[in-house]
Amino acid sequence: MLHRYRSWVLGIGMSCCVVCPAPAGIVLIEHADGYTLNRKQQLVQFDAMAFDEQGKVRAVGHARALRKQFPAASHIDLQGKTVLPGLIDAHGHIMGLGISALQLALRSTEDLPQAQRVIADYAARFPQKQWILGGEWNQANWKLERFPSAQDIDAVVRDRPVWLSRVDGHAAWANSKAMQLAGISRETPDPAGGKIERDTYGNPTGIFIDSAMELIDRVLPVATEAENLQALDTALQIIRQAGLTSVHDAGVSAPADHLFREYAKTGRLTVRVYGMIAGVGEFFDSVVVDGPFNGDADRYTLRAVKLFADGALGSRGAALLAPYSDAPQVSGLLFKSQQEMNAMVRKAAEQHYQVNVHAIGDAGNRQILNAFAVLPASLRTELRHRIEHAQVVSLEDIPRFRTLGIIPSMQPTHATSDMNMAESRVGSQRIRGAYAWRRFLQQGSRIACGSDFPVESPNPFWGMYAAVTRQDMQGQPRNGWYPGQAMTMKEAFRCFTLDAAYAAHQENILGSLETGKWADFIVIDRNIFRIPAQQIFQTQVLETWVAGQRVYRAGASTAASVDVSGIR
C-alpha cells in the first residue's frame, strides 16, 4: 500500500551488527519444540535439526536418529523452546521502515490537539532540521470528520516546512511553508492520478492525495549516503528482531538496489531480500539488460516489478466501480488507463519479470486482472504474477485470480486496522469481497502474507493474530470482524512461510525446514499452535538465524553475532 515511506517505529535498542561465521562442521539443535510444513503442506513436528557450515539443512527429525547420523556434530540445546522456519513478509518497504523509524510519528495520537503538541515538541527538539518529516496520522482515529489542514500545522509550526504522510502512505499533509516552497497555489492543477484537496474557494487545504504528493516530494532535500546507510541498518535491526528472515521489498529504487547488492556482497544483509523494481522506467530499463538478478547465497534477488493501479481506501483514493458509500461524489482514482496498464505489465513480463501490482479498490483489481488476462499464457502462468493487497474485490472477480493464476498478496493487519472505516467506505454489499481471505483459500488460491511495513508493524505474529481472530489487540469485536473470512492457525502460518516463498519462486529453498533448504529459522517463547489465539500477538522472538548464522538474540549486546557458548 505504501506510496510514500513514513513512520512505523518499533522501540528497540540499536546494536552493532557484525555477522560472525557459522560454526564449523555439522550443528545439531536438539530438545526443540519444532514445527515446519512439508512439501505436501502438512504440519510436521520435530525435536532436532542438523545444518551444515554452508547454512543448509541436512536433516530434520528426532534427536536420537540425528545423533547417530551425525556423530561428530556440535550440539545446541534449546531446552524445549519452539522453533519455526524463518518467517517471510511478502510485502514490505525496507528503506521506508528505516527512514520512518528516524522521523516524527503520529500513529499513537488520539486527537488533533495531541498531534499538534507532538509536532510542536518535535520541532523544538530538532531545531536544526530544515524540514519536519514523518507521518502516520489517521483522521479516522482522531474522530475528525474532515482531513486536517495546513492551518492546523501552522498554528504550531509556521517558520519551517512540515510534510507528514497519512498512515497508508497515499495522502500527505503540508503546512503553508511547505506549499509555498513547492509553489502550490489555487492555480496548481490536479496531476493525473492525484488530487489536491481544496476549500470552497478552490484554495489548497494542505492535503495531497496519491500522485499529487509528488508536487511537494520534488522539493524535499535529497537523503545523504550516511542517512541511507543509517536507515538500512535501522531497518535490518527491526526486521531480524521481528523474526523475519526474508522480505519481499515492494518498490526497490536504484539507490536501494545499490545498497542491497553491497550489503549482500559484504555479508551485512541479515535478511533475504526479494526485490520488486519500482516501475518500468529508467531504472528498469537499465537493469533488464542483464536480466533478473539472484546474488550469491540467495541473499538478494531482483526479478519482479512493482506497479500501482490506484490509491488507498482511507483517503478514498482506491478506485471503485461505483462511488464510495460515504462520499457519493467520489469513486477514487485509477492511475493509468487500461491501455497504459496493459503496456506496462507486458513490458515487464516480456523481460521475464514477475509483475506485482498494487490494487486496493474493486475497479483497480479489475483493471489489473484485465491486464493479466491479455498476456500470452506463457508470460502469465510461469511468472506467478501477483496483485498486492487485493483488498476490495468484486465477488465476480475473485475466481479470476484462480483461473488466471494470479497470487493474492495480502496483509492481514490491514483488515483490523481498516475495520473502523472500511464498511462505511464501501457499504454492506461490497464489503463481502473485502479482506476476503476465506473466499480466496476455498477456491485454491495461495495467499502470500505480509504487513506492508511501515504502514503496519513488521511483527509477523501480529499478522497471524489478525488472520486468525480478525480482532484488534483488545479482543474487539468480540467474535471477530466478519469472522467467516478468518484463517486457521495453520493457514496463517503457511501464508507467512511456504506460500510467501512460492510467491517469490523460492519454495524450493525457503519457507520450510527441509533437507537441502536454507537453515533460516527462529526460536520463540511460546508454542503458537497450542496457545489460545488471543495470545498469538504476544509472541516474542528469542533468536533469529539466517543460513545457519544467528543474526539476532534477545538481550544480546551484539545482536548479529553468533554466541558459541551454547554449542558443545
Side-chain angles (χ1 to χ4, degrees):
M1 183 184 295
L2 194 67
H3 194 70
R4 300 183 73 252
Y5 301 143
R6 287 297 178 260
S7 301
W8 183 89
V9 179
L10 176 62
I12 58 172
M14 295 304 296
S15 61
C16 172
C17 175
V18 179
V19 178
C20 296
I26 301 295
V27 176
L28 178 62
I29 64 169
E30 54 190 3
H31 299 138
D33 182 19
Y35 291 83
T36 188
L37 294 164
N38 61 20
R39 294 182 186 277
K40 296 180 181 179
Q41 299 188 352
Q42 297 167 323
L43 193 64
V44 176
Q45 290 183 255
F46 62 91
D47 61 33
M49 178 179 69
F51 58 88
D52 58 30
E53 57 191 353
Q54 281 73 47
K56 296 289 187 73
V57 176
R58 293 291 294 275
V60 176
H62 298 289
R64 180 177 296 180
L66 268 58
R67 279 178 176 268
K68 291 180 179 179
Q69 186 176 351
F70 305 104
S74 301
H75 297 260
I76 299 178
D77 187 345
L78 287 182
Q79 300 178 338
K81 295 183 179 68
T82 298
V83 173
L84 303 176
L87 300 177
I88 302 170
D89 191 309
H91 187 111
H93 305 271
I94 294 173
M95 295 302 295
L97 178 64
I99 291 168
S100 296
L102 301 170
Q103 293 182 342
L104 167 66
L106 296 174
R107 183 181 294 267
S108 62
T109 55
E110 297 179 357
D111 54 34
L112 179 59
Q114 184 183 12
Q116 291 173 306
R117 291 192 296 272
V118 171
I119 295 168
D121 178 66
Y122 186 91
R125 286 190 294 117
F126 298 100
Q128 77 284 3
K129 288 185 178 291
Q130 295 179 359
W131 282 71
I132 295 172
L133 303 173
E136 293 191 317
W137 56 271
N138 186 346
Q139 81 281 4
N141 290 346
W142 296 342
K143 306 296 188 294
L144 201 64
E145 297 301 322
R146 62 174 175 86
F147 278 124
S149 69
Q151 287 70 34
D152 292 324
I153 304 179
D154 292 345
V156 292
V157 179
R158 183 180 293 272
D159 60 327
R160 279 183 287 165
V162 181
W163 183 229
L164 305 172
S165 175
R166 193 180 184 277
V167 66
D168 56 20
H170 283 266
W173 176 24
N175 69 348
S176 297
K177 186 69 172 181
M179 290 194 290
Q180 176 189 342
L181 291 174
I184 305 297
S185 69
R186 63 179 298 167
E187 283 73 38
T188 304
D190 289 351
K195 180 182 179 183
I196 302 171
E197 288 289 318
R198 304 173 192 270
D199 62 21
T200 54
Y201 300 101
N203 297 309
T205 65
I207 295 296
F208 297 77
I209 296 174
D210 289 315
S211 67
M213 295 186 292
E214 297 170 9
L215 299 172
I216 305 287
D217 283 343
R218 66 190 181 190
V219 299
L220 295 179
V222 177
T224 66
E225 182 178 359
E227 289 170 335
N228 284 334
L229 290 171
Q230 183 184 18
L232 180 53
D233 287 340
T234 300
L236 293 176
Q237 170 68 7
I238 295 170
I239 288 166
R240 58 182 176 260
Q241 179 172 332
L244 296 169
T245 58
S246 181
V247 171
H248 302 177
D249 194 295
V252 175
S253 64
D257 174 64
H258 173 75
L259 279 180
F260 291 154
R261 290 177 192 247
E262 181 65 22
Y263 270 52
K265 184 169 61 177
T266 57
R268 290 179 288 169
L269 197 61
T270 54
V271 62
R272 301 187 191 280
V273 178
Y274 179 80
M276 310 177 201
I277 298 168
V280 289
E282 291 182 8
F283 175 45
F284 175 81
D285 292 338
S286 70
V287 296
V288 297
V289 174
D290 298 319
F293 173 80
N294 187 42
D296 292 341
D298 301 309
R299 287 298 175 117
Y300 178 48
T301 302
L302 192 68
R303 60 164 300 171
V305 165
K306 170 73 179 302
L307 303 176
F308 282 88
D310 62 355
L313 202 62
S315 55
R316 298 189 184 88
L320 300 182
L321 295 169
Y324 278 79
S325 297
D326 60 354
Q329 74 281 11
V330 176
S331 296
L333 301 164
L334 283 173
F335 291 172
K336 302 291 181 182
S337 69
Q338 186 70 61
Q339 184 177 6
E340 290 171 326
M341 183 58 70
N342 291 356
M344 293 168 70
V345 168
R346 185 162 191 140
K347 177 180 178 179
E350 286 180 341
Q351 296 296 327
H352 302 286
Y353 281 78
Q354 179 191 55
V355 184
N356 304 335
V357 191
H358 163 116
I360 298 287
D362 52 11
N365 277 277
R366 180 168 292 178
Q367 182 190 63
I368 305 311
L369 289 168
N370 290 343
F372 286 137
V374 297
L375 282 178
S378 61
L379 294 180
R380 187 176 67 241
T381 55
E382 294 179 8
L383 292 175
R384 301 180 187 175
H385 303 302
R386 297 160 41 169
I387 291 184
E388 304 298 313
H389 312 306
Q391 203 159 299
V392 181
V393 185
S394 171
L395 290 177
E396 64 188 271
D397 284 334
I398 290 178
R400 298 180 69 196
F401 281 76
R402 177 66 172 167
T403 57
L404 293 172
I406 306 305
I407 295 171
S409 173
M410 307 173 85
Q411 299 74 45
T413 49
H414 280 340
T416 50
S417 292
D418 292 355
M419 63 186 180
N420 64 344
M421 59 83 186
E423 188 163 357
S424 65
R425 292 284 192 272
V426 301
S428 59
Q429 291 303 308
R430 285 183 291 193
I431 199 69
R432 296 171 61 212
Y435 317 90
W437 313 323
R438 176 58 48 200
R439 296 185 191 277
F440 282 102
L441 290 170
Q442 284 178 334
Q443 70 179 15
S445 292
R446 301 177 71 159
I447 298 176
C449 279
S451 65
D452 199 13
F453 67 69
V455 171
E456 304 280 357
S457 163
N459 189 325
F461 297 101
W462 292 15
M464 291 185 198
Y465 169 79
V468 172
T469 67
R470 293 180 72 99
Q471 295 175 322
D472 63 23
M473 291 179 191
Q474 289 71 50
Q476 297 300 319
R478 183 174 179 182
N479 296 316
W481 185 62
Y482 288 94
Q485 295 303 312
M487 298 185 195
T488 66
M489 186 63 237
K490 177 185 170 184
E491 289 167 341
F493 176 62
R494 195 180 79 201
C495 80
F496 278 98
T497 53
L498 261 183
D499 286 353
Y502 176 85
H505 300 265
Q506 293 176 328
E507 73 275 13
N508 292 323
I509 58 171
L510 302 177
S512 61
L513 295 171
E514 299 178 89
T515 301
K517 290 191 173 186
W518 288 108
D520 296 358
F521 62 95
I522 60 173
V523 183
I524 57 177
D525 70 342
R526 66 198 70 198
N527 186 322
I528 59 173
F529 297 100
R530 293 179 182 170
I531 60 174
Q534 285 67 29
Q535 296 178 16
I536 296 169
F537 74 89
Q538 299 171 357
T539 301
Q540 298 294 310
V541 176
L542 304 177
E543 298 181 9
T544 302
W545 293 68
V546 177
Q549 297 175 323
R550 183 159 48 207
V551 298
Y552 169 76
R553 184 169 61 121
S557 59
T558 303
S561 62
V562 174
D563 178 4
V564 297
S565 63
I567 301 175
R568 66 180 191 276

